[in-house]
Structures are given as structure tokens and as C-alpha cells.
Coordinates of all heavy atoms in Angstrom, one line a residue:
G1 N 112.2 76.4 127.8 CA 113.3 75.5 127.7 C 114.4 75.9 128.5 O 114.4 76.8 129.4
E2 N 115.5 75.1 128.4 CA 116.7 75.4 129.2 C 117.3 76.8 129.0 O 117.8 77.4 129.9 CB 117.8 74.3 128.9 CG 117.4 72.9 129.4 CD 118.5 71.9 129.1 OE1 119.6 72.3 128.6 OE2 118.3 70.7 129.4
G3 N 117.2 77.2 127.8 CA 117.7 78.6 127.5 C 117.0 79.7 128.2 O 117.5 80.8 128.4
D4 N 115.7 79.4 128.6 CA 114.9 80.4 129.2 C 115.4 80.7 130.6 O 115.2 81.8 131.2 CB 113.5 80.1 129.3 CG 112.8 80.1 127.9 OD1 113.2 81.0 127.1 OD2 112.0 79.3 127.6
A5 N 116.1 79.8 131.3 CA 116.6 80.0 132.6 C 117.6 81.2 132.6 O 117.7 82.0 133.5 CB 117.3 78.8 133.1
V6 N 118.5 81.2 131.5 CA 119.4 82.3 131.4 C 118.7 83.6 131.2 O 119.0 84.6 131.8 CB 120.4 82.0 130.2 CG1 121.3 83.2 130.0 CG2 121.1 80.8 130.4
S7 N 117.6 83.6 130.3 CA 116.9 84.8 130.1 C 116.2 85.3 131.3 O 116.2 86.5 131.6 CB 115.8 84.5 129.0 OG 115.0 85.7 128.8
E8 N 115.6 84.4 132.1 CA 115.0 84.8 133.4 C 116.0 85.4 134.4 O 115.7 86.5 135.0 CB 114.3 83.6 134.0 CG 113.5 84.0 135.3 CD 112.8 82.8 135.9 OE1 112.8 81.7 135.3 OE2 112.1 83.0 136.9
T9 N 117.1 84.8 134.5 CA 118.1 85.3 135.4 C 118.6 86.7 134.9 O 118.8 87.6 135.8 CB 119.3 84.3 135.5 OG1 118.9 83.1 135.9 CG2 120.4 84.9 136.4
T10 N 118.8 86.8 133.6 CA 119.2 88.1 133.1 C 118.2 89.2 133.4 O 118.5 90.3 133.7 CB 119.4 88.0 131.6 OG1 120.4 87.0 131.3 CG2 119.9 89.4 131.0
S11 N 116.9 88.8 133.2 CA 115.8 89.8 133.5 C 115.8 90.3 135.0 O 115.7 91.4 135.3 CB 114.5 89.2 133.1 OG 114.4 88.9 131.8
L12 N 116.0 89.3 135.9 CA 116.0 89.6 137.3 C 117.2 90.5 137.6 O 117.1 91.5 138.4 CB 116.1 88.4 138.1 CG 114.8 87.5 138.1 CD1 115.1 86.2 138.8 CD2 113.6 88.2 138.7
Y13 N 118.4 90.2 137.0 CA 119.6 91.0 137.2 C 119.4 92.4 136.7 O 119.8 93.4 137.4 CB 120.8 90.3 136.6 CG 122.1 91.0 136.8 CD1 122.8 90.9 138.0 CD2 122.6 91.8 135.8 CE1 124.0 91.6 138.2 CE2 123.8 92.4 136.0 CZ 124.5 92.3 137.2 OH 125.7 93.0 137.4
S14 N 118.8 92.5 135.5 CA 118.6 93.8 134.9 C 117.6 94.7 135.8 O 117.8 95.9 135.9 CB 118.0 93.7 133.5 OG 118.9 93.0 132.7
A15 N 116.7 94.0 136.4 CA 115.7 94.8 137.3 C 116.4 95.4 138.4 O 116.0 96.4 138.9 CB 114.6 93.9 137.8
I16 N 117.6 94.8 138.8 CA 118.3 95.4 140.0 C 119.4 96.4 139.5 O 119.6 97.4 140.1 CB 119.0 94.2 140.7 CG1 118.0 93.3 141.4 CG2 120.0 94.7 141.8 CD1 118.5 92.1 142.1
T17 N 120.1 96.0 138.4 CA 121.2 96.8 138.0 C 120.9 98.0 137.0 O 121.7 98.9 136.8 CB 122.3 96.0 137.3 OG1 121.7 95.3 136.2 CG2 122.8 94.9 138.3
N18 N 119.7 97.9 136.4 CA 119.3 99.1 135.6 C 119.0 100.3 136.5 O 118.8 100.1 137.7 CB 118.1 98.7 134.7 CG 118.4 97.8 133.5 OD1 119.6 97.7 133.2 ND2 117.5 97.2 132.9
H19 N 118.9 101.4 135.9 CA 118.6 102.6 136.6 C 117.5 103.4 136.1 O 117.0 103.2 134.9 CB 119.9 103.5 136.6 CG 121.1 102.8 137.1 ND1 121.3 102.5 138.5 CD2 122.2 102.3 136.5 CE1 122.5 101.9 138.6 NE2 123.0 101.8 137.5
V20 N 116.9 104.3 136.9 CA 115.9 105.2 136.5 C 116.5 106.6 136.4 O 117.2 107.0 137.3 CB 114.7 105.2 137.5 CG1 113.7 106.2 137.1 CG2 114.1 103.8 137.6
Y21 N 116.2 107.3 135.3 CA 116.7 108.6 135.0 C 115.6 109.7 135.1 O 114.6 109.5 134.3 CB 117.4 108.7 133.7 CG 118.7 107.8 133.7 CD1 118.6 106.4 133.4 CD2 119.9 108.3 133.9 CE1 119.7 105.6 133.3 CE2 121.1 107.5 133.9 CZ 120.9 106.1 133.6 OH 122.0 105.3 133.6
E22 N 115.7 110.7 135.9 CA 114.7 111.7 136.0 C 115.4 113.1 136.3 O 116.3 113.1 137.2 CB 113.7 111.5 137.1 CG 112.8 110.3 136.9 CD 111.8 110.1 138.0 OE1 111.9 110.8 139.0 OE2 111.0 109.2 137.9
N23 N 115.0 114.1 135.6 CA 115.5 115.4 135.8 C 117.0 115.6 135.9 O 117.5 116.3 136.8 CB 114.8 116.0 137.1 CG 113.3 116.1 137.0 OD1 112.8 116.6 136.0 ND2 112.6 115.6 138.0
G24 N 117.7 114.8 135.1 CA 119.1 114.9 135.0 C 119.9 114.1 136.1 O 121.1 114.2 136.2
R25 N 119.1 113.3 136.9 CA 119.7 112.5 137.9 C 119.4 111.0 137.7 O 118.4 110.7 137.1 CB 119.3 112.9 139.3 CG 119.5 114.4 139.7 CD 121.0 114.8 139.5 NE 121.9 114.1 140.3 CZ 122.5 114.5 141.5 NH1 122.1 115.7 141.9 NH2 123.3 113.8 142.1
R26 N 120.2 110.2 138.3 CA 120.1 108.7 138.1 C 119.7 108.1 139.5 O 120.2 108.4 140.5 CB 121.4 108.1 137.7 CG 121.2 106.6 137.2 CD 122.6 106.0 136.9 NE 123.3 105.7 138.2 CZ 124.5 105.2 138.2 NH1 125.2 105.0 137.1 NH2 125.1 104.9 139.4
Y27 N 118.7 107.2 139.5 CA 118.1 106.6 140.7 C 118.1 105.1 140.6 O 118.2 104.5 139.5 CB 116.7 107.1 140.9 CG 116.6 108.6 141.1 CD1 116.5 109.5 140.1 CD2 116.7 109.2 142.4 CE1 116.4 110.8 140.2 CE2 116.7 110.6 142.6 CZ 116.5 111.4 141.5 OH 116.5 112.7 141.7
H28 N 118.0 104.4 141.7 CA 117.9 103.0 141.7 C 116.6 102.5 141.0 O 115.6 103.1 141.1 CB 118.0 102.4 143.1 CG 116.8 102.8 144.0 ND1 115.7 101.9 144.2 CD2 116.4 103.9 144.6 CE1 114.8 102.5 145.0 NE2 115.2 103.7 145.2
S29 N 116.7 101.3 140.5 CA 115.5 100.7 139.8 C 114.8 99.6 140.7 O 113.6 99.4 140.6 CB 115.9 100.1 138.5 OG 116.8 99.0 138.6
Y30 N 115.6 98.9 141.5 CA 115.0 97.9 142.4 C 114.2 98.6 143.5 O 114.7 99.5 144.2 CB 116.1 97.1 143.1 CG 115.6 96.1 144.1 CD1 114.8 95.1 143.8 CD2 116.0 96.3 145.5 CE1 114.3 94.2 144.7 CE2 115.6 95.4 146.4 CZ 114.7 94.3 146.0 OH 114.3 93.4 147.0
R31 N 112.9 98.3 143.5 CA 111.9 99.0 144.4 C 112.0 100.5 144.1 O 112.1 101.3 145.1 CB 112.2 98.7 145.9 CG 112.0 97.2 146.2 CD 112.0 96.9 147.6 NE 111.0 97.6 148.3 CZ 109.7 97.1 148.4 NH1 109.3 96.1 147.7 NH2 108.8 97.8 149.0
A32 N 112.0 100.9 142.9 CA 112.1 102.3 142.4 C 111.1 103.2 143.2 O 109.9 102.9 143.3 CB 111.9 102.4 140.9
G33 N 111.6 104.3 143.6 CA 110.8 105.3 144.3 C 110.7 105.1 145.8 O 110.2 106.0 146.5
S34 N 111.2 104.1 146.3 CA 111.2 103.9 147.8 C 112.3 104.6 148.5 O 112.2 104.8 149.7 CB 111.3 102.4 148.1 OG 112.4 101.8 147.6
Y35 N 113.3 105.1 147.8 CA 114.3 105.9 148.3 C 114.5 107.2 147.5 O 114.4 107.1 146.3 CB 115.7 105.2 148.4 CG 116.8 106.0 148.9 CD1 116.8 106.6 150.2 CD2 117.9 106.3 148.1 CE1 117.8 107.4 150.6 CE2 119.0 107.0 148.6 CZ 118.9 107.6 149.8 OH 120.0 108.4 150.3
W36 N 114.7 108.3 148.1 CA 114.6 109.6 147.4 C 115.9 110.0 146.8 O 116.0 110.9 146.0 CB 114.2 110.7 148.5 CG 115.1 110.6 149.7 CD1 114.8 109.9 150.8 CD2 116.3 111.3 149.9 NE1 115.8 110.1 151.8 CE2 116.8 110.9 151.2 CE3 117.1 112.1 149.2 CZ2 118.0 111.4 151.8 CZ3 118.3 112.6 149.7 CH2 118.7 112.3 151.0
G37 N 117.1 109.4 147.2 CA 118.4 110.0 146.8 C 118.8 109.4 145.4 O 118.6 108.2 145.2
P38 N 119.5 110.2 144.6 CA 120.1 109.6 143.4 C 121.3 108.7 143.7 O 121.8 108.7 144.8 CB 120.6 110.9 142.6 CG 120.8 111.9 143.7 CD 119.8 111.6 144.8
N39 N 121.7 107.9 142.7 CA 122.8 107.0 142.9 C 123.9 107.2 141.9 O 124.8 106.3 141.7 CB 122.3 105.5 142.9 CG 121.9 105.0 141.5 OD1 121.8 105.8 140.6 ND2 121.4 103.8 141.4
D40 N 123.9 108.3 141.2 CA 124.9 108.6 140.2 C 126.2 109.0 140.9 O 126.4 109.0 142.1 CB 124.4 109.7 139.3 CG 123.8 110.9 140.0 OD1 124.3 111.2 141.2 OD2 123.0 111.6 139.4
E41 N 127.2 109.2 140.0 CA 128.6 109.5 140.5 C 128.6 110.7 141.5 O 129.3 110.6 142.5 CB 129.6 109.7 139.4 CG 129.8 108.4 138.6 CD 130.6 107.4 139.4 OE1 131.3 107.7 140.3 OE2 130.4 106.2 139.1
P42 N 128.0 111.8 141.2 CA 128.0 113.0 142.1 C 127.4 112.6 143.5 O 128.0 113.0 144.5 CB 127.2 114.0 141.4 CG 127.3 113.7 140.0 CD 127.4 112.2 139.9
A43 N 126.4 111.8 143.5 CA 125.7 111.4 144.7 C 126.7 110.4 145.5 O 126.8 110.5 146.7 CB 124.4 110.7 144.5
Q44 N 127.4 109.6 144.8 CA 128.3 108.6 145.5 C 129.5 109.4 146.1 O 129.9 109.1 147.2 CB 128.8 107.6 144.5 CG 127.7 106.6 144.0 CD 128.3 105.6 143.0 OE1 129.3 105.0 143.2 NE2 127.6 105.5 141.9
D45 N 130.0 110.4 145.4 CA 131.1 111.2 145.9 C 130.6 112.0 147.1 O 131.4 112.1 148.1 CB 131.5 112.2 144.8 CG 132.3 111.5 143.7 OD1 132.7 110.4 143.8 OD2 132.4 112.2 142.6

């Protein structure tokens, strides 16, 4: 139904903005594993 469009958009957005956490570091979730570096605050700094 019409409400599902919002749900689908939210799911797609979450797939990009959620993160993967491993060994105390945070990594990107979009195409997870294709880049080696963390994206947490220490990495950004």
C-alpha cells in the first residue's frame, strides 16, 4: 500500500546510514567490506 513506500525508503536509507561494528571499530554498511578503513570519530579526526 501507500504506507509501504515510506517503509521501503526507510529501509534503503538505513542500509546506507547504519554501520558495522567489529573489534571495537565502526565501519560503513553500504557495500560493507569493500573498504578497509573505519568511519568512527577517531578515524574521521
Side-chain angles (χ1 to χ4, degrees):
E2 292 182 2
D4 289 326
V6 176
S7 176
E8 182 178 359
T9 301
T10 301
S11 297
L12 292 172
Y13 182 77
S14 296
I16 293 173
T17 58
N18 285 346
H19 303 286
V20 175
Y21 295 84
E22 293 181 357
N23 298 313
R25 302 305 301 259
R26 192 188 76 184
Y27 300 87
H28 67 99
S29 62
Y30 175 63
R31 300 188 60 80
S34 58
Y35 176 61
W36 52 269
N39 68 359
D40 48 27
E41 291 294 333
Q44 293 179 47
D45 291 342

